[in-house]
Amino acid sequence: MPPPSTKKPLFPTTDDPVAPEQPIQPATVVVIQPGSYNLRIGRASDAYPVTVPHCIARKVKSSPFQEQSLEWIVREECSHPESDHQIKDGIKSVEELLLSRPTLTGEYRQLTPFKQLSVFNKQAQPEMSERICSQRWTSTESKTFFVGEEAMFINAKDGYQLSWPIKRGRFNLHNKAGGTLTSVLADLETIWSTVIMSHLHIPLKDFKHYRVVLLIPDIYVHKHVKAMVELLLNNLGFEAVIVHQESVCATYGAGVTCACIVDVGDQKTSICCVEDGISHKATRITMEYGGSDVSRCLHWLLRRSGASFPEMRLTQATGILQLQELKEAFCHMDQDRHGVRPHVMQVKLPQQHIIKYSLRLGDEMILAPLALFRPDSFGLQGSHLIRTQTRCEGDPEDPHDEDYLRRTQRQSQGGRLGAPKKDTSDGARDLTETSMSNLDDLNPTAMDDDSNDANDSLAPTEGGTKASRKEEEEEEEMVEEESNLQLMGVDQAVLHSIEKCDGDEVKRKMYSCLLVVGGGMMFEGAQTWLQYQVWMQMPVQHRVALETMDVITRPKDMDACLASWKGAAILACLDSSQELWIRQNEWRQFSVRLLRERAPFIW
């Protein structure tokens, strides 16, 4: 029998209280999906996660009362002088889209006369109901901060500042108070720990016995992911963590292997193509509009039709919640539901009488959600409204970063002109592991010194210089192409993402399965509208070769909002995922380098 191997493991785990080969108990794994509007959190053994608004309200020290303005529905990007004109043109294009598609009977619908509706609705008087809304204002006598729903229902006169640590899919960093990275991380720590203790009933002292699966957006910022892992392992003291992307986990939750993921959230819309557990980097695209913009569009359409709700103030969280409820209750994308119909809308404010409005409305209920296909209707302008995955900016704690790997790979290939222009294979991870395993006793200090020597020795050959110039030119072309991207509708973004895939076979796979997740597009008829729009615009050669096109909006009869969270819970319990855990003691020694080794996606 050969003697046992004496080679040291790449990352020793001698202090780990649970042996890696032992199966993980789902009840000891907490799955966290931090969103712009909702935080979904729960044990991997739970059927459903706890869903709370991802916000915190802190006591403001200044004594004079000043009503704060929430940049949630009324955004800075839609406050430009041409906003109203842009919205009108956008709504006109949505109306043209509505008229271009026939109903089930083969007829084309007619637009409802909003001017006539406006005359009637302006004469309608609100009715004060005898019923009082059961929702009460949060009592602020005992605490200095509140999270979740309690924070949403704090009376503005009580002097609390409402903050959202994540905005449009990334950290809410700004130049005002509470907008620094440190402040955002402090808010995240308070919100997450409070929800875990109050809803999952896990005391803070027991966090060290639990592991966490952290879901991150498809397009992520490297230093923000590192900061969240640091928060979970060092600040909150969890035993270990797995980091994975929402799109890939959505395929796990839906039980599909290949799909184009359409994630329409409250404040952003993300599209990417996933094949066999890998999110293709070139296909990822995020646009900064979502369900809240549909709500603002609905508000504009209602005012155009003479339906004004003075009680709903969009500068307050309660008014925004009322508008969201009206959207969810009345909006649809059913092409066959048309004509003028009576609507009774109720305005419910905490501890006040319910107010009823009897209105007549027509196409407003379908035009607002259809604006997702014509985002000009949102009246947005700005250079940051569309994003793609950027390269890692580099980290001093990660000497073997992307630049180092690219140069090492180029040298190992002898500077051939045919060297791959991007590091999109598992070879990058193999190079990292080979480089790190040869270091003396895995000394981090020695690693930094050796990497400096390695970088100095990477003098490219003449062929390598030509290859480097070619790669730089191609990267510049890609950056220029990305900078020229304009805000697209959901259907156009799907086409753009799929066409970024390599090979016609992969593209056909993506066209054959569109998986819609998130809550921003969960309207009746959305499935057929998305299918119709993509089918009419896709290349002819794929349309001819395509057998079926499945648009999945309720995978396994599950709420589409929970698909990613459920997939992460499944991932945590798989035997093949045990090598992905990043343990607390390892993180303290090797830090962000572990993400390059353990993350199940190209870091």
Side-chain angles (χ1 to χ4, degrees), residues 465-481:
T465 303
K466 292 180 180 179
S468 176
R469 290 174 181 173
K470 183 178 180 181
E471 292 173 8
E472 290 176 357
E473 292 175 358
E474 291 177 348
E475 286 184 1
E476 289 177 359
E477 292 177 359
M478 182 177 296
V479 171
E480 184 178 357
E481 179 186 355

Side-chain angles (χ1 to χ4, degrees), residues 245-266:
Q245 295 169 296
E246 292 177 332
S247 59
V248 178
C249 290
T251 61
Y252 296 155
V256 297
T257 57
C258 300
C260 178
I261 310 300
V262 183
D263 185 355
V264 184
D266 182 75

